[in-house]
Amino acid sequence: MSTSSSLVPGTVLKKYRVAIRDALAEEMTRDANVLLMGQDIGISNGLFRLTEGLYERFGPERVRDTPISETATVGAAIGLAMLGFRPVVEIAFSDLMLTCFDTIVNQLAKLRWMFGSQCPPLPVVIRALTGAGLGVGSHHSQSLEALFAHMPGLNVLTPATSADAAGLLKGAIRSSTPTIFLEHKMLLRDSSPVTPGEVRQPGEAFLTRTGTDLTLVGYAYTAKLALQSAVELAAKGIAAEVIDLRSISPLDTDTVTTSVLKTGRLLVIQEAYKPFGVGAEVIARLAAKNLGHLKAPMDRLAVPFMPIPASKALEQFYLPSVSKVTQRAVQMMAA
Amino acid sequence: MSTSSSLVPGTVLKKYRVAIRDALAEEMTRDANVLLMGQDIGISNGLFRLTEGLYERFGPERVRDTPISETATVGAAIGLAMLGFRPVVEIAFSDLMLTCFDTIVNQLAKLRWMFGSQCPPLPVVIRALTGAGLGVGSHHSQSLEALFAHMPGLNVLTPATSADAAGLLKGAIRSSTPTIFLEHKMLLRDSSPVTPGEVRQPGEAFLTRTGTDLTLVGYAYTAKLALQSAVELAAKGIAAEVIDLRSISPLDTDTVTTSVLKTGRLLVIQEAYKPFGVGAEVIARLAAKNLGHLKAPMDRLAVPFMPIPASKALEQFYLPSVSKVTQRAVQMMAA
Amino acid sequence: MNGRIVDLFREMQRIRIFEETVIRLFKASEFSGFLHTGIGQEAIAVGVCGSLQAEDWLTATHRSHGHLLARGVPMHLLLAEIYGKESGLCEGVAGHVHVADMTRRIVGGNGVLGQNQPIATGLALGLRLRRESAVVVSIFGDGTANEGAVHEAMNLAAIWELPVLFVCERNEFSELSPYTSQFKIKSVADRAAAYGFEGYSLEGTDVEAVGELVQRLTSKMRRGGGPALVELRVVRWHGHYEGDPQQYRDAALRPSADPLQLLTESHPELLGQEVRESILTHAREEMEAAIRFARQGSHLDPEALFARAADTGVPP
Amino acid sequence: MNGRIVDLFREMQRIRIFEETVIRLFKASEFSGFLHTGIGQEAIAVGVCGSLQAEDWLTATHRSHGHLLARGVPMHLLLAEIYGKESGLCEGVAGHVHVADMTRRIVGGNGVLGQNQPIATGLALGLRLRRESAVVVSIFGDGTANEGAVHEAMNLAAIWELPVLFVCERNEFSELSPYTSQFKIKSVADRAAAYGFEGYSLEGTDVEAVGELVQRLTSKMRRGGGPALVELRVVRWHGHYEGDPQQYRDAALRPSADPLQLLTESHPELLGQEVRESILTHAREEMEAAIRFARQGSHLDPEALFARAADTGVPP
Ligand SMILES: Cc1ncc(C[n+]2csc(CCOP(=O)(O)OP(=O)(O)O)c2C)c(N)n1
Ligand SMILES: Cc1ncc(C[n+]2csc(CCOP(=O)(O)OP(=O)(O)O)c2C)c(N)n1
Ligand SMILES: [Mg+2]
Ligand SMILES: [Mg+2]
């Protein structure tokens, strides 16, 4: 998430949006079985321009516009995968994945397990825009990763940087596990360094800042918030360690455990609804370990348990923010 | 869950299945706005005979067969509720609710919040059969309460006894909050006492057995397992306290906290997939409190993270059982 | 009857002014979010909604300003909602895409395409169970017709013989894709026969013809008839959302005729310049007042969201 | 040609014996779960599946024994799956409702009605992208036609001109409800026109007629044609599941004619008593061997489930 101009050699600065587009292009070039499907992703480049230029480059057979039929689209991707294709489906808002939820979690996620090895892997990737911040209300702003991560058979990825957007997407396309790939709307224009060609595997959290006083855990947009809050906290003399989960399923809590053993304090920040969410799972996993005495109870910062209001002012009130993270961290230090 | 014949005066022994049917009948008699909708619930009495006799009693307008169109059915229930009706929808297998998941969690759960007080309450109850044990495989056996409980705007209830099946269902029908009411297939024939006419509210866990050594938390079928295990444990000299959550949203963790403060050990038992499930939420809530030193890490017993196998032998291996609970409890005591 | 023509013109003019103005305000960043307008599609809104009775129900779309205004919603309440203000129809909580006015029996837009059609069938069933003669009009775009939910709703309406008029606002685009990429059939009205009711297809620029058809079909329903489907054909004037570069747009597909001009041409005697100017002036005045109202209002006290949640049964 | 008639009879007889036998075994509690049989519907299974090529794909239903057997699945592998044994097609993990045999290009049943039709369109798209001339046959029950997923799939197949033959196995019941409670239209085949392809309705008891129609339609598809829909009409012989008391059943709705008897009557010269008895004996022998095989097999080692999960990419 750094916008520093002192780039590590061999890396290039890229917008998150462009990193995704380029990763798609690279995988399509590498493997003729990769193809894209989604509403208006062809000549129109997608609602958020995430497939810009790909239609011209790869043509209508591999960059395929679909009608407003999410169930049929994801189902068709399953059929294609059965024949050896690697379909990448774009759904412009992750909220809309609930219209084809059965197809994702009962079909895509389960069929190979049910049929056994007679069925090839079903390497479908479903890319969807996640998160709030645009003032577009309750049906276009949700963070639904926990719904997918609760169900077996899917990887669920939530990149916060361009490198993860590119690397994890490439990994997902090559993986034999179906993947839900959630791209945060408010990160699309962020620039950060990418190592061209790099492929990243799911299931590894990333320590984005070291510290000794408390551990802040985020993912997607809240990974950015956590890092920004750590800067504020440093100014207050609090050394926060920050972890970007990156992958919600599989979920790497070892990295979190190591950190909390050091800091003795854990705050998980999520933009999603709090109950049964990522924070709950992280904390339950840590609670099951013998972590000894913690300096403060492990806790979660999330949105109020209600839908997302459309009004920009209300949305800002509703969402986690740097200052809310900082405030809560300060409270935890005082506890 | 007791089948004891020494009934408390004023209670009657009823099968869980019959308790549900009778509660429906009572509410329909009390309030002409209550009506039932679902596949084959009319003259056929429902696939599990849960509406037996209601069609003859209340006629086709109030006991309405629907086509195989779950989305339209739940959507229609929303429209009816907008006009003041109190529709109770039956979906024979909770797994199939994923075909109308958007309608439930984006529409039913949210619309009144989005529109505000100009919109009347939408007191739709969706009853669905939950749980495994019949050997009917990955698409007809899941426990999906966490998916609904993660989303704001719904009560999610999981009765384990006839009294809760009846009382909570009556409460749900009268409530202004939409409710997901999950009836466990393996409890349908269990008989236990019911106080006629009793209405129960969501959000209260129930202490079903007192003990001092460890707290077993279950709900629906696992509440029964926990109680049975407590008997086994007592024979081994371990005094387990048992809590039946009954309500997953709202979730009463105060009762659990009080118990764990006493016992120092917590095991949450769920038939659902483990990550992001009920155990995670219960433990995360307790972890956020200052419970002091626990005698053992709080933990969860759930199914392996994979779909449910059809073969009866594999299903038994897969599911939680009394002996698995007992074994884990013994381990926790030794830890 | 003559008054009716002037009324139709007035309502279309109100919508036109409203859409032109919100576009300008949006460009000036007076509010955020997406903006979908129905500019050029005024004859559908007015022809359909103008033919309804107060006791009828309407489900609208994500492009619903026209539907709401034509059903009698004052501009200021709608605009305040778009501005996200407490004084808006839904106190700024629902927003532009989902705005509803249930006091006027408008279920409103829906952020999830296709989800309003099942709700419409439930409303219609409820009306029948209450032995009321009101009807439900359920509007959806051409692209939305391919959602599974629409299919299920149409079949339900058919088998239960419910008074639902399904209105397909066919503007030749589904977001950024043309009709021909979404359909093999010539007309969405051909879908009706798949359920056993009647389908009609009509130019959506002739407000009188639209109104007459809707009148005829709804009065059959009021007497106990079942559903019908009407496709109303226009060609979208602007982009899917305001700001849409529309590079996908085939230049040969010209925006459809201006319904205000068409009505003026058919009734020059009733819609002389003076009449039109007076209507325009009134519309502008309503609009100006609406802008003042919307700007002036404040946002809902965020704490009130919790009260709303408790009130609407969202558990803590 | 003459051989073909005998083949058709033989395949139907295999299915009949299989269904009769599993019903008996189910009543004897040899296996658990639900049991849906297609007894009486053999002409659909054999007419449709018998007309396919090895390279074609099939998606079946929750009532799929006939479909699988007619596509060449040996009885013992299917029965072992129903018994939940490791030697079954899916090692007992999928079970009766979901059984698949992808080595024979059968995606199998699906526990969620309507979900196989979208998958069928994807298979068909893949075949076209690979420039193969194979086709996909996607069978579903009449009740299933009202799922939204089926609608979306049919439209997708239409607009992309995919080689999918949608086969509606109309047996007059959707679980415990009659066709008339689910449809206002006379024939499910009427749905085809809603997407822009052709629909056909035919008695599902005449195996030769079914086969001829399927042959004709699939050969058009092999040459680049788009989808078609065929409704095949029978009347369910047994309950929805074995043990169904069927108190809902209108006594006037008699089970449809026996397709084995019909074929025998049309070809007495080819299907004399001796021929039929020999076929029956062979079918019984295959069945007996299948029972021994299924009984003898053991359950998958439960620990192998974890290996399966890892292998199929289910994360831990
Ligand atoms: C289920 C669903 N899929 C996709 C979208 C994104 N989306 C919003 S409007 C729109 C286009 C709708 O086209 P149409 O129904 O023709 O209505 P129009 O915009 O032309 O009025 C799309 C695809 C959505 N909101 N919901
Ligand atoms: C989405 C969904 N809804 C409901 C069910 C329950 N169910 C299983 S089979 C069946 C009846 C299907 O009827 P039809 O499609 O006519 O097939 P048939 O059983 O007659 O062969 C139903 C309702 C299901 N499995 N999936
Ligand atoms: Mg359109
Ligand atoms: Mg049927």
Side-chain angles (χ1 to χ4, degrees):
Chain A
M1 268 152 305
S2 134
T3 52
S4 139
S5 58
S6 61
L7 276 172
V8 175
T11 67
V12 294
L13 209 58
K14 259 189 205 177
K15 285 210 171 76
Y16 185 93
R17 181 178 72 66
V18 177
I20 290 165
R21 195 271 316 266
D22 290 355
L24 292 172
E26 286 165 31
E27 292 306 302
M28 292 179 81
T29 307
R30 199 184 63 85
D31 182 349
N33 287 317
V34 177
L35 50 78
L36 313 185
M37 309 169 77
Q39 288 162 26
D40 307 314
I41 63 165
I43 197 167
S44 297
N45 295 323
L47 203 60
F48 290 93
R49 294 202 295 133
L50 282 152
T51 53
E52 196 159 32
L54 300 182
Y55 178 83
E56 288 85 62
R57 217 164 130 193
F58 298 101
E61 286 205 343
R62 294 185 66 197
V63 183
R64 182 171 289 266
D65 276 341
T66 59
I68 309 181
S69 304
E70 290 79 6
T71 298
T73 302
V74 175
I78 298 172
L80 284 164
M82 286 176 172
L83 294 185
F85 290 92
R86 294 183 171 270
V88 182
V89 176
E90 172 173 311
I91 295 195
F93 297 91
S94 71
D95 316 64
L96 308 177
M97 294 166 87
L98 304 190
T99 63
C100 53
F101 196 63
D102 187 90
T103 316
I104 297 173
V105 305
N106 274 339
Q107 310 301 326
L108 176 59
K110 293 194 175 76
L111 288 186
R112 190 176 186 227
W113 187 87
M114 290 164 69
F115 297 165
S117 53
Q118 58 166 304
C119 180
L122 302 174
V124 175
V125 178
I126 306 183
R127 295 178 34 245
L129 278 290
T130 186
L134 293 180
V136 292
S138 310
H139 286 160
H140 288 79
S141 310
Q142 296 172 90
S143 293
L144 300 172
E145 51 282 352
L147 295 179
F148 297 100
H150 180 55
M151 303 298 279
L154 299 169
N155 285 340
V156 181
L157 307 180
T158 54
T161 64
S162 299
D164 278 331
L168 289 173
L169 181 53
K170 289 165 71 82
I173 293 172
R174 298 185 195 186
S175 159
S176 61
T177 306
T179 302
I180 307 299
F181 195 83
L182 299 169
E183 303 163 359
H184 200 289
K185 295 181 197 82
M186 302 309 288
L187 295 172
L188 293 177
R189 298 177 189 190
D190 280 13
S191 281
S192 61
V194 173
T195 308
E198 193 190 2
V199 178
R200 297 190 170 182
Q201 299 308 324
E204 278 181 52
F206 186 58
L207 191 77
T208 54
R209 182 182 173 111
T210 55
T212 49
D213 292 334
L214 93 165
T215 304
L216 298 177
V217 170
Y219 57 97
Y221 195 66
T222 61
K224 179 174 170 174
L225 289 182
L227 211 47
Q228 290 174 338
S229 166
V231 175
E232 280 192 8
L233 289 167
K236 294 178 195 285
I238 299 171
E241 180 142 305
V242 180
I243 293 171
D244 175 3
L245 290 174
R246 307 197 287 192
S247 170
I248 306 304
S249 188
L251 181 67
D252 168 16
T253 38
D254 290 346
T255 301
V256 183
T257 303
T258 306
S259 174
V260 174
L261 279 173
K262 178 171 66 172
T263 63
R265 295 181 185 88
L266 171 65
L267 181 64
V268 184
I269 307 139
Q270 63 186 49
E271 199 182 306
Y273 308 121
K274 183 166 167 180
F276 310 88
V278 172
E281 181 61 24
V282 169
I283 290 172
R285 288 203 193 181
L286 264 69
K289 296 181 179 180
N290 229 324
L291 297 188
H293 178 70
L294 295 179
K295 296 178 193 143
M298 299 183 281
D299 213 348
R300 302 173 272 177
L301 176 64
V303 296
F305 195 42
M306 56 177 78
I308 304 168
S311 160
K312 211 53 191 283
L314 299 179
E315 192 188 39
Q316 289 312 312
F317 163 82
Y318 175 92
L319 290 176
S321 65
V322 176
S323 65
K324 285 180 201 170
V325 175
T326 301
Q327 193 189 335
R328 183 68 81 83
V330 168
Q331 281 167 7
M332 280 184 98
M333 291 304 298
Chain B
M1 268 154 304
S2 130
T3 51
S4 137
S5 56
S6 59
L7 278 173
V8 174
T11 67
V12 293
L13 208 59
K14 258 189 205 178
K15 285 211 172 75
Y16 185 94
R17 182 178 70 67
V18 177
I20 291 165
R21 194 272 315 266
D22 289 354
L24 293 171
E26 285 164 32
E27 292 306 303
M28 293 179 80
T29 306
R30 199 185 62 87
D31 182 348
N33 286 317
V34 177
L35 50 78
L36 314 185
M37 308 169 78
Q39 288 163 26
D40 307 314
I41 63 164
I43 196 168
S44 297
N45 295 323
L47 204 60
F48 290 94
R49 293 201 296 135
L50 282 152
T51 53
E52 196 159 30
L54 301 182
Y55 178 84
E56 286 85 63
R57 217 163 129 191
F58 298 101
E61 286 205 343
R62 295 185 67 198
V63 183
R64 183 171 289 265
D65 277 339
T66 59
I68 309 181
S69 304
E70 289 80 5
T71 298
T73 303
V74 175
I78 298 172
L80 284 164
M82 286 175 172
L83 294 186
F85 290 92
R86 297 185 169 268
V88 182
V89 176
E90 171 173 311
I91 296 196
F93 297 91
S94 72
D95 317 64
L96 307 177
M97 293 166 88
L98 304 190
T99 64
C100 54
F101 196 63
D102 187 272
T103 315
I104 298 172
V105 303
N106 274 338
Q107 310 302 326
L108 175 60
K110 292 194 175 74
L111 288 184
R112 188 175 186 224
W113 188 87
M114 291 165 68
F115 297 163
S117 54
Q118 59 166 302
C119 181
L122 301 174
V124 175
V125 178
I126 306 183
R127 296 177 35 244
L129 278 290
T130 187
L134 293 180
V136 291
S138 310
H139 285 161
H140 287 81
S141 309
Q142 295 173 90
S143 293
L144 300 173
E145 51 281 353
L147 294 178
F148 297 99
H150 181 54
M151 303 299 278
L154 298 169
N155 285 341
V156 181
L157 307 180
T158 52
T161 63
S162 300
D164 279 331
L168 290 172
L169 181 54
K170 287 165 73 83
I173 292 171
R174 299 184 194 187
S175 160
S176 62
T177 306
T179 302
I180 307 299
F181 195 84
L182 299 168
E183 302 163 359
H184 200 292
K185 295 181 198 83
M186 302 308 288
L187 296 173
L188 293 177
R189 298 180 189 187
D190 280 13
S191 282
S192 59
V194 174
T195 308
E198 193 191 3
V199 178
R200 298 190 171 184
Q201 299 309 321
E204 278 181 53
F206 186 58
L207 191 77
T208 53
R209 182 184 174 110
T210 55
T212 50
D213 292 333
L214 94 166
T215 305
L216 298 176
V217 170
Y219 56 98
Y221 195 66
T222 61
K224 178 173 170 174
L225 289 181
L227 211 47
Q228 290 175 338
S229 166
V231 176
E232 279 193 8
L233 288 166
K236 293 178 196 287
I238 300 171
E241 182 143 304
V242 180
I243 294 171
D244 175 3
L245 291 173
R246 306 197 287 193
S247 168
I248 306 304
S249 188
L251 182 66
D252 167 16
T253 38
D254 290 345
T255 302
V256 183
T257 303
T258 307
S259 174
V260 174
L261 280 172
K262 178 172 69 172
T263 63
R265 296 183 184 88
L266 171 65
L267 181 64
V268 184
I269 307 141
Q270 64 187 48
E271 200 182 304
Y273 308 122
K274 183 166 165 180
F276 310 88
V278 172
E281 182 60 24
V282 169
I283 290 172
R285 290 203 192 180
L286 265 70
K289 297 182 179 178
N290 230 324
L291 297 188
H293 177 71
L294 296 179
K295 295 179 195 143
M298 299 185 280
D299 213 348
R300 301 173 273 175
L301 175 65
V303 297
F305 195 41
M306 57 176 78
I308 304 167
S311 158
K312 213 47 191 285
L314 300 179
E315 192 188 39
Q316 288 313 312
F317 162 82
Y318 175 94
L319 290 175
S321 64
V322 176
S323 65
K324 285 179 199 172
V325 175
T326 301
Q327 193 189 334
R328 183 70 82 84
V330 169
Q331 281 167 7
M332 281 186 98
M333 291 304 297
Chain C
M1 174 63 197
N2 293 353
R4 167 132 179 93
I5 298 297
V6 176
D7 287 346
L8 293 174
F9 188 87
R10 180 184 301 110
E11 289 306 313
M12 292 200 294
Q13 183 67 75
R14 277 180 78 226
I15 298 171
R16 175 68 52 85
I17 285 290
F18 189 86
E19 297 294 41
E20 286 173 353
T21 311
V22 289
I23 292 167
R24 185 166 53 71
L25 297 166
F26 181 66
K27 286 191 182 143
S29 299
E30 293 236 353
F31 53 87
S32 53
F34 303 134
L35 184 65
H36 314 104
T37 70
I39 191 162
Q41 304 178 189
E42 296 87 352
I44 296 178
V46 174
V48 173
C49 301
S51 308
L52 301 184
Q53 318 273 320
E55 64 270 26
D56 295 334
W57 281 85
L58 175 71
T59 79
T61 73
H62 56 285
R63 198 180 294 290
S64 67
H65 301 164
H67 311 145
L68 271 73
L69 294 172
R71 182 106 180 94
V73 172
M75 285 186 185
H76 66 287
L77 297 181
L78 175 57
L79 192 68
E81 183 65 23
I82 297 173
Y83 271 66
K85 297 299 178 68
E86 183 178 1
S87 52
L89 286 167
C90 306
E91 299 177 319
V93 173
H96 156 71
V97 175
H98 319 86
V99 55
D101 183 352
M102 292 190 66
T103 63
R104 287 180 183 79
R105 302 199 162 194
I106 306 168
V107 171
N110 198 309
V112 189
L113 300 173
Q115 290 294 323
N116 265 351
Q117 282 60 59
I119 296 174
T121 63
L123 290 165
L125 175 59
L127 294 169
R128 279 282 155 88
L129 290 176
R130 297 245 190 270
R131 313 286 181 250
E132 291 181 25
S133 65
V135 304
V136 182
V137 170
S138 187
I139 311 182
F140 56 96
D142 42 349
T144 301
N146 292 324
E147 278 292 336
V150 176
H151 167 73
E152 295 190 7
M154 288 194 179
N155 188 61
L156 206 70
I159 61 175
W160 293 348
E161 297 181 346
L162 301 176
V164 185
L165 183 65
F166 293 102
V167 173
C168 178
E169 189 164 25
R170 172 171 170 177
N171 62 4
E172 296 298 328
F173 291 99
S174 303
E175 209 168 67
L176 319 180
S177 294
Y179 177 90
T180 48
S181 71
Q182 320 266 311
F183 293 93
K184 182 98 180 163
I185 48 175
K186 288 269 161 1
S187 165
V188 179
D190 294 348
R191 292 264 160 97
Y195 308 103
F197 50 82
E198 301 216 316
Y200 303 83
S201 183
L202 209 70
E203 293 282 349
T205 47
D206 179 344
V207 65
E208 291 180 273
V210 170
E212 274 156 32
L213 181 63
V214 171
Q215 280 286 359
R216 184 156 63 79
L217 296 175
T218 51
S219 51
K220 262 204 263 179
M221 289 176 197
R222 293 183 203 289
R223 296 192 305 271
L229 167 60
V230 177
E231 174 191 70
L232 299 172
R233 299 187 313 268
V234 292
V235 179
R236 208 179 64 200
W237 281 20
H238 283 200
H240 169 62
Y241 53 91
E242 293 303 323
D244 176 1
Q246 295 197 75
Q247 73 276 51
Y248 55 85
R249 189 159 179 153
D250 183 347
L253 197 63
R254 307 290 310 154
S256 47
D258 183 345
L260 285 89
Q261 201 181 320
L262 287 184
L263 191 65
T264 311
E265 284 164 10
S266 347
H267 300 283
E269 65 306 345
L270 297 172
L271 295 169
Q273 190 167 346
E274 225 169 299
V275 175
R276 284 184 287 123
E277 274 176 8
S278 144
I279 287 174
L280 187 60
T281 307
H282 275 96
R284 289 214 174 107
E285 283 168 9
E286 189 189 353
M287 191 74 237
E288 287 309 315
I291 296 174
R292 283 192 302 277
F293 179 83
R295 282 189 183 148
Q296 180 177 82
S298 56
H299 301 292
L300 186 70
D301 174 3
E303 295 295 336
L305 286 178
F306 294 101
R308 178 184 271 241
D311 175 48
T312 59
V314 175
Chain D
M1 175 62 198
N2 292 353
R4 169 132 179 89
I5 298 298
V6 176
D7 287 346
L8 292 174
F9 188 87
R10 180 182 301 112
E11 289 306 315
M12 294 201 292
Q13 183 67 77
R14 275 179 79 226
I15 298 171
R16 174 68 52 85
I17 285 290
F18 188 88
E19 298 293 41
E20 286 174 352
T21 311
V22 289
I23 292 167
R24 185 168 51 73
L25 296 166
F26 181 66
K27 285 190 182 143
S29 300
E30 292 238 349
F31 53 88
S32 54
F34 302 135
L35 183 65
H36 314 105
T37 70
I39 192 161
Q41 302 178 195
E42 295 86 353
I44 296 178
V46 173
V48 172
C49 302
S51 306
L52 302 183
Q53 317 272 318
E55 63 269 25
D56 296 334
W57 281 84
L58 175 72
T59 78
T61 72
H62 56 286
R63 197 180 295 288
S64 67
H65 301 162
H67 312 145
L68 271 74
L69 294 172
R71 182 107 178 97
V73 173
M75 285 183 184
H76 66 287
L77 296 182
L78 175 57
L79 191 68
E81 183 65 25
I82 297 172
Y83 271 66
K85 298 298 177 71
E86 181 178 3
S87 52
L89 286 167
C90 306
E91 298 177 318
V93 173
H96 156 70
V97 174
H98 318 86
V99 56
D101 183 353
M102 293 190 66
T103 63
R104 288 181 182 79
R105 301 198 161 194
I106 306 168
V107 170
N110 198 310
V112 189
L113 299 173
Q115 290 293 325
N116 265 352
Q117 283 59 59
I119 296 174
T121 65
L123 290 165
L125 174 59
L127 294 170
R128 277 283 154 87
L129 291 174
R130 296 241 189 275
R131 314 286 181 247
E132 290 181 26
S133 64
V135 304
V136 182
V137 169
S138 188
I139 311 182
F140 55 96
D142 42 349
T144 301
N146 291 325
E147 277 292 334
V150 175
H151 168 72
E152 296 191 7
M154 287 193 180
N155 188 61
L156 205 71
I159 62 176
W160 293 348
E161 298 182 345
L162 300 176
V164 185
L165 183 65
F166 293 102
V167 173
C168 178
E169 189 162 28
R170 171 172 171 179
N171 61 6
E172 296 297 331
F173 291 98
S174 303
E175 209 168 69
L176 320 180
S177 293
Y179 177 90
T180 48
S181 71
Q182 321 265 312
F183 293 93
K184 182 98 178 163
I185 47 175
K186 286 269 158 13
S187 166
V188 179
D190 295 349
R191 294 264 160 97
Y195 309 102
F197 51 83
E198 303 215 313
Y200 303 84
S201 184
L202 208 72
E203 293 281 349
T205 46
D206 179 344
V207 66
E208 289 180 274
V210 169
E212 273 156 33
L213 181 63
V214 171
Q215 279 287 359
R216 185 155 63 79
L217 296 175
T218 53
S219 50
K220 265 204 260 178
M221 290 178 197
R222 292 183 204 288
R223 296 191 307 270
L229 167 61
V230 178
E231 173 190 74
L232 299 172
R233 301 188 310 271
V234 292
V235 178
R236 208 180 64 200
W237 281 20
H238 283 199
H240 169 63
Y241 55 91
E242 294 303 322
D244 175 2
Q246 295 194 79
Q247 73 275 55
Y248 55 85
R249 190 160 179 153
D250 182 347
L253 196 63
R254 305 291 310 156
S256 47
D258 183 343
L260 285 89
Q261 201 181 323
L262 286 184
L263 191 65
T264 310
E265 283 163 11
S266 347
H267 299 282
E269 66 303 350
L270 296 171
L271 294 169
Q273 187 166 349
E274 222 169 303
V275 174
R276 285 185 285 123
E277 273 177 6
S278 146
I279 287 173
L280 185 62
T281 306
H282 276 95
R284 289 212 172 108
E285 281 167 9
E286 190 190 352
M287 192 71 238
E288 286 310 314
I291 297 173
R292 283 191 303 273
F293 179 84
R295 281 186 181 153
Q296 173 180 87
S298 55
H299 301 292
L300 186 70
D301 174 4
E303 295 295 335
L305 286 177
F306 294 99
R308 178 183 270 241
D311 175 50
T312 59
V314 175

